[in-house]
Amino acid sequence: MGKTIAVLGALLAGVALGFSARWPAGAFLNPWIDAVAPIGAFWIRALSMTLVPLVFALVVSGVINAVRHGQGGRVLAVSFAVFLPMLVLAVLLAWAVVETVLRLFPLGPNPLAGLLGSAPAIPQLPGTADQILAILPENPIAAAASGQMLPLVVFAVLLGAALARTQGDGFAGIVDELARAMTRIVDWILLPAPIGIFVLSLGAGKAAGASVAGVLAREVGAEILFSLCAILLCYGLVLLVRAMPLGRFARAIVPAQATAAGTCSSMATAPVSMDVALNALKLPQEVAGTTMPLAISTFRLATAGVSLIEIFVAAHAAGVHASPVQWLLAGMTAVIAGIATPGLPGAAIIYACTAPGLQILGAPLAIIPLYIATAAIPDMFITTASVTGQLTATTLVARLVRRSR
């Protein structure tokens, strides 16, 4: 909590101090702000350095664990048949929420000038056919070298699925260790986060004033609204599938929701979630014992939606005019994020899940530290929505398995 307060305080202090430099009385600050600007750029460069190996290793490792840890054939198949549509629904819901928020509270012109340094250049977009073909990498190594994240993620998914069906653990173990090592490096880079965020927000406050704060306020508001809507979506799915009486389901999962809201960690909530699935919801042992651990380790409903919100808010704020195919591809990265990245600490999740979509749309990666600075505000709602989604998915699987018998 102490570091969270420090990061949020650094953001507020930087924006306020940078904003004060816009006035005659604070003009003396301008040379100092310009002098420390390279520190923020260096910190962003350090984060960007880890992006390709981190995302690649996380996706490969996540797919391997998802396939290998799912015991009991039919239950595993039904579990993923439930996970994927729920993630797609979450992304569609997030899109509706963020578009509604931005229509009700439009962004001003060029609100990210402090991060971009000038008005953003609109990237030259390839044709639709070329964009679809680009999903599959002609050369995975070249894709990694040039930072083309989506084809690299597709290759990582295929590689993980293939490795999960091999007998040996040699390369799979290496990938798992690489994922841990890259996560550790990100942790190291995030240690001076208050300094990096303070310097970045100085420049943002100086160039754009309160408009950057307005972007973050819309992002946080959209994430909280989405999380509440996602919980209602889960209740609606239980009711629609007739998995069990809605009142009984809602009452039974309250302990897990309360723990999630208090800890802001779905992994820390896992023991309570398992107890709720087995004893309060009274789900079959073969379903609760397979689907619930799988959901805890590979399925976060809210992560997918929140990632899309962060990507879309940044793109709108940067004035990106992307094609429908690019928006769709960015949404696909959010769906993959809901499966491939559970278990990471909050800052690393934001980085690993949001950066690929930002790159697809040509939005600035420099906004990610500001997202990290404000992450603690909606975290309680996001975690509660993810835990609700895990229990909902397990309940739906139990119902579908029972029907198929």
Side-chain angles (χ1 to χ4, degrees):
M1 182 61 70
K3 185 172 182 180
T4 298
I5 294 174
V7 166
L8 188 57
L11 172 68
L12 297 175
V15 170
L17 196 61
F19 184 68
S20 67
R22 297 164 59 92
W23 300 89
F28 71 94
L29 292 171
N30 286 312
W32 295 98
I33 293 175
D34 294 338
V36 300
I39 297 176
F42 182 83
W43 190 60
I44 289 292
R45 179 69 64 88
L47 275 174
S48 301
M49 170 186 69
T50 65
L51 178 59
V52 167
L54 173 67
V55 172
F56 175 77
L58 284 175
V59 172
V60 174
S61 179
V63 172
I64 292 173
N65 291 331
V67 175
R68 287 186 174 177
H69 292 174
Q71 305 295 326
R74 182 175 59 178
V75 174
L76 176 62
V78 174
S79 297
F80 279 107
V82 169
F83 290 172
L84 185 59
M86 287 185 68
L87 289 171
V88 172
L89 285 174
V91 166
L92 292 174
L93 177 62
W95 169 76
V97 167
V98 73
E99 290 296 329
T100 300
V101 169
L102 292 180
R103 283 183 181 274
L104 292 176
F105 306 98
L107 292 166
N110 199 19
L112 297 182
L115 297 179
L116 302 175
S118 60
I122 305 302
Q124 294 293 324
L125 303 180
T128 299
D130 291 335
Q131 293 181 53
I132 294 174
L133 286 174
I135 296 174
L136 289 177
E138 185 176 359
N139 183 338
I141 297 176
S146 59
Q148 300 174 31
M149 295 307 304
L150 185 58
L152 183 66
V153 167
V154 171
F155 175 72
V157 170
L158 296 174
L159 180 61
L163 287 172
R165 286 167 169 76
T166 61
Q167 297 298 320
D169 290 327
F171 189 71
I174 292 173
V175 172
D176 193 48
E177 289 299 319
L178 176 61
R180 295 179 185 177
M182 295 313 303
T183 303
R184 180 68 59 84
I185 291 175
V186 171
D187 288 340
W188 290 342
I189 296 172
L190 290 174
L191 283 175
I195 299 173
I197 289 170
F198 176 74
V199 172
L200 287 171
S201 56
L202 273 176
K206 173 189 170 185
S211 59
V212 170
V215 172
L216 296 178
R218 288 164 177 79
E219 174 251 338
V220 169
E223 290 181 2
I224 292 174
L225 179 59
F226 160 74
S227 299
L228 296 175
C229 291
I231 293 172
L232 294 178
L233 172 66
C234 291
Y235 292 155
L237 291 174
V238 171
L239 188 62
L240 180 65
V241 180
R242 297 181 180 177
M244 67 174 55
L246 181 57
R248 177 190 162 198
F249 175 79
R251 288 191 299 271
I253 68 173
V254 166
Q257 290 176 320
T259 305
T263 62
C264 293
S265 169
S266 43
M267 296 303 290
T269 310
V272 179
S273 298
M274 281 296 300
D275 180 69
V276 165
L278 289 169
N279 299 318
L281 295 174
K282 299 190 182 303
L283 301 180
Q285 172 68 42
E286 65 271 19
V287 173
T290 299
T291 303
M292 196 66 219
L294 192 63
I296 292 169
S297 60
T298 64
F299 176 69
R300 281 186 180 172
L301 187 73
T303 296
V306 166
S307 298
L308 183 125
I309 288 171
E310 291 170 348
I311 293 166
F312 276 31
V313 167
H316 281 293
V320 170
H321 299 286
S323 71
V325 173
Q326 281 185 297
W327 292 113
L328 178 62
L329 296 181
M332 287 175 57
T333 67
V335 171
I336 293 172
I339 295 178
T341 55
L344 290 178
I349 280 187
I350 293 172
Y351 177 62
C353 296
T354 305
L358 294 179
Q359 287 195 329
I360 289 172
L361 296 180
L365 289 176
I367 198 172
I368 292 179
L370 305 186
Y371 284 160
I372 292 172
T374 57
I377 300 172
D379 200 17
M380 175 176 68
F381 300 92
I382 295 169
T383 307
T384 302
S386 286
V387 168
T388 302
Q390 291 163 2
L391 287 165
T392 299
T394 306
T395 303
L396 297 182
V397 170
R399 174 60 171 163
L400 294 174
V401 168
R402 189 164 62 246
R403 279 184 180 176
S404 65
R405 287 176 178 171

